[in-house]
Amino acid sequence: MKEENVKPWLIRMRQGEEEAFQEVYRATRTYSYNLIYFLAPHKQDVDDMMSEVYVELIRSIDRYDVEQPFIPWFNGLIVRQVRNWNRSIWRRFRLLERVKEKGYEAPVAGMEDKLGAISDELEVIPAVEKLSFKLKEIVVLRYYQNCSLEEIAAILQIPLGTVKSRHHLAMKKLREHFEHRINREEASFHVH
């Protein structure tokens, strides 16, 4: 996605052109899908989150300052929507637990499946998935979206020092994960 290709469509989208929204969607869908995929704790929710992102884009396009870079603003919008989705899932989970405590059946069939964790076959993604959301969003924005720490602070609207400490903690946890895994593999090679 090239910012200079999207900006003229964003201006036309602000004026209410439906075709402009479709062009913005075409230009950004792969980018937003990939970011959502890496941030989403439940991969089966990615498509629904995508819809929420674009609904919010339509709602908030008037607040976008076309003089500012679009990609950091769009990253912030995506991160906020993923956070909102996670909060709504947590609320539904708590409601489901309360209903179960009272001895009633689950209100929505399949809700438990929706709340289940999904693992990935790749080596790094499962380790990143185990991080808390606050650490995961730093790692994804830093290494997947190639944002600087300053850009991440602006996107997440938190102090730079907080970004640095979360980044440090995330790297420490990932190192520990892989060191533990390597030690486990080495131990399995020893003949007993």
Side-chain angles (χ1 to χ4, degrees):
M1 168 178 66
K2 292 189 178 175
E3 189 145 336
E4 58 271 7
N5 296 343
V6 176
K7 279 215 176 181
W9 291 111
L10 291 169
I11 294 167
R12 291 172 64 182
M13 187 178 153
R14 288 177 83 170
Q15 297 166 349
E17 276 190 42
E18 189 174 323
E19 179 188 348
F21 169 75
Q22 292 172 1
E23 289 299 321
V24 169
Y25 175 76
R26 279 188 209 107
T28 62
R29 69 180 171 212
T30 302
Y31 177 87
S32 59
Y33 183 89
N34 291 337
L35 180 54
I36 293 167
Y37 182 84
F38 280 108
L39 290 174
H42 308 288
K43 303 309 178 210
Q44 71 269 22
D45 294 338
V46 172
D47 291 332
D48 293 332
M49 289 182 191
M50 278 278 289
S51 298
E52 292 294 321
V53 164
Y54 285 98
V55 166
E56 185 58 27
L57 176 63
I58 292 168
R59 278 191 215 132
S60 61
I61 192 65
D62 291 333
R63 293 190 302 265
Y64 169 63
D65 178 4
V66 291
E67 299 300 318
Q68 299 299 316
F70 174 69
I71 293 171
W73 181 83
F74 192 53
N75 282 342
L77 185 140
I78 292 170
V79 168
R80 283 188 300 279
Q81 288 308 113
V82 171
R83 282 181 182 168
N84 291 342
W85 185 270
N86 290 341
R87 274 195 294 274
S88 72
I89 290 290
W90 180 244
R91 279 187 220 111
R92 283 185 254 159
F93 175 74
R94 287 191 331 224
L95 178 63
L96 180 65
E97 290 301 308
R98 282 190 210 135
V99 168
K100 283 182 178 179
E101 284 174 10
K102 301 288 183 192
Y104 300 112
E105 290 296 313
V108 178
M111 179 62 79
E112 291 176 24
D113 293 338
K114 202 169 202 178
L115 298 171
I118 292 180
S119 62
D120 201 307
E121 304 259 334
L122 300 173
E123 290 184 30
V124 176
I125 292 174
V128 172
E129 289 289 333
K130 290 178 182 176
L131 295 174
S132 70
F133 183 76
K134 288 181 179 185
L135 298 181
K136 186 179 0 177
E137 65 189 0
I138 299 291
V139 171
V140 170
L141 289 171
R142 179 76 174 118
Y143 297 102
Y144 182 73
Q145 297 297 329
N146 296 320
C147 295
S148 69
L149 297 177
E150 292 80 9
E151 290 171 327
I152 295 170
I155 290 167
L156 300 179
Q157 299 174 344
I158 57 176
L160 179 59
T162 304
V163 172
K164 288 179 179 180
S165 65
R166 287 181 187 173
H167 179 262
H168 177 76
L169 182 59
M171 293 299 101
K172 180 181 174 186
K173 287 184 178 282
L174 289 173
R175 269 191 301 277
E176 288 171 356
H177 170 81
F178 286 108
E179 285 171 4
H180 179 69
R181 188 169 157 249
I182 289 168
N183 291 339
R184 214 175 41 232
E185 288 173 1
E186 285 175 359
S188 69
F189 285 121
H190 290 70
V191 177
H192 297 277

